Amino acid sequence: METSIQPSVKDKIAAEAFRLFCRRGIKGTSVDDLAQHLSMSKKTIYKWFSNKDEIVLWAINSYLTSVDTDCEQCRHKAPNAIEELFAVMKTTREVFASIHPGIFYDLQKYHGDAWNKWQEYKNHHFLNRIKDNLERGMAEGLFRKDLDVEVIARLRLAQIEVPFDETIFPRFKFELLHVQTASLEHFMLGIATLKGHKMINDYKQITEEE
C-alpha cells in the first residue's frame, strides 16, 4: 500500500500564508494575521521561520514548485499544445480568481529574495515551458511554422504580468481571472493556424456550454 507524504508544519504554515497573501496582499498580511488564521501562536510560527521575509520566500517557493508539477502533468496528459495551455489555465483558475493584484509590487519592493526567486523561475523554468509548448504546437500543425519562438515566448511572459499592473487594469474595474483568460485566448489566436483556430473555438464552445 502506498503512503502519502504528509506536509510538514512548515509547509502548512507556508501554504496558508500564500492563501492570505493572495487574498490581502503581502504587505497587508502580518504575522499576527497569519497566527490568527492558523489558530496558532506567533511563537510557534517563529519556531519555524525567523521572520516574515522567510515566510514569504518559503510560500512563494512552495507555490512555484506546485505550479511546476501541475504544468508537467498538463504537458503529459494533454493530447495537443492547445489543450495543454487551456489545462494550465484551468489549474491556476482558483489562484487567479482570488489573487491580490498588488502581490508582484509587494514582492519587488519588500521581499527581494522572494522576488528574485520568482524572476529566476519565470525567466528560466516558465520561459522554457512556453518555448516547449510553442514548438509542440508548431510540430502538430496547430501553431504557425514561421513563429520566432524566442521572441514569442518572451512576449507571452510579459503578457502574464501585465494584468497585475493596476495602472492598466484597476482591481475594482477588472477581474484578474477574466483578463488573464482573455490574454491567453488573444495569444493563442495570434499564433494559431486555421486548424488551431478551429480547435480553440471548439474548446471555447464546449466550455461555455458546460
Side-chain angles (χ1 to χ4, degrees):
M1 180 183 293
E2 292 186 358
T3 56
S4 60
I5 299 174
Q6 296 298 316
S8 68
V9 174
K10 195 168 186 175
D11 288 331
K12 289 180 179 178
I13 293 172
E16 290 304 315
F18 185 78
R19 291 189 181 94
L20 282 181
F21 296 154
C22 286
R23 191 184 314 158
R24 303 180 181 182
I26 298 174
K27 184 182 179 184
T29 303
S30 67
V31 178
D32 284 314
D33 294 329
L34 180 58
Q36 183 178 8
H37 176 73
L38 289 166
S39 298
M40 181 184 290
S41 69
K42 285 175 65 177
K43 184 178 179 180
T44 301
I45 293 176
Y46 283 127
K47 175 184 176 183
W48 298 98
F49 298 96
S50 58
N51 51 45
K52 181 181 175 182
D53 202 47
E54 188 180 346
I55 297 172
V56 173
L57 178 59
W58 194 274
I60 294 299
N61 188 58
S62 296
Y63 175 68
L64 293 178
T65 299
S66 174
V67 167
D68 207 52
T69 299
D70 289 342
C71 287
E72 185 65 15
Q73 290 178 347
C74 290
R75 185 175 74 86
H76 283 292
K77 291 181 179 179
N80 57 69
I82 286 174
E83 291 197 39
E84 178 186 340
L85 286 176
F86 277 119
V88 169
M89 189 66 195
K90 189 174 182 179
T91 63
T92 57
R93 182 176 296 274
E94 182 180 349
V95 174
F96 281 136
S98 61
I99 197 167
H100 192 283
I103 196 167
F104 284 131
Y105 176 82
D106 289 350
L107 276 181
Q108 186 173 17
K109 187 168 184 180
Y110 304 109
H111 303 282
D113 288 343
W115 173 255
N116 290 336
K117 183 67 181 179
W118 159 244
Q119 291 297 306
E120 178 189 357
Y121 176 83
K122 181 187 71 171
N123 293 323
H124 292 88
H125 298 282
F126 204 31
L127 179 63
N128 286 333
R129 289 202 177 279
I130 294 173
K131 290 194 287 188
D132 287 345
N133 177 264
L134 288 170
E135 290 168 354
R136 178 184 182 180
M138 292 165 71
E140 293 169 340
L142 299 173
F143 298 156
R144 292 173 9 227
K145 295 287 188 183
D146 62 341
L147 296 178
D148 186 324
V149 172
E150 290 291 336
V151 172
I152 300 300
R154 283 167 171 76
L155 285 173
R156 177 58 188 153
L157 273 187
Q159 280 186 336
I160 292 169
E161 286 189 324
V162 167
F164 291 94
D165 187 339
E166 292 195 72
T167 63
I168 301 174
F169 296 106
R171 79 178 78 167
F172 300 113
K173 189 173 181 181
F174 295 94
E175 182 185 27
L176 182 60
L177 175 59
H178 174 72
V179 177
Q180 286 287 7
T181 302
S183 176
L184 175 61
E185 290 178 1
H186 179 269
F187 169 75
M188 286 195 294
L189 290 170
I191 64 175
T193 60
L194 290 177
K195 179 183 175 182
H197 273 244
K198 184 179 186 305
M199 185 172 290
I200 293 168
N201 290 328
D202 287 346
Y203 185 90
K204 286 176 60 180
Q205 183 176 355
I206 290 172
T207 54
E208 287 169 359
E209 289 174 353
E210 289 179 347

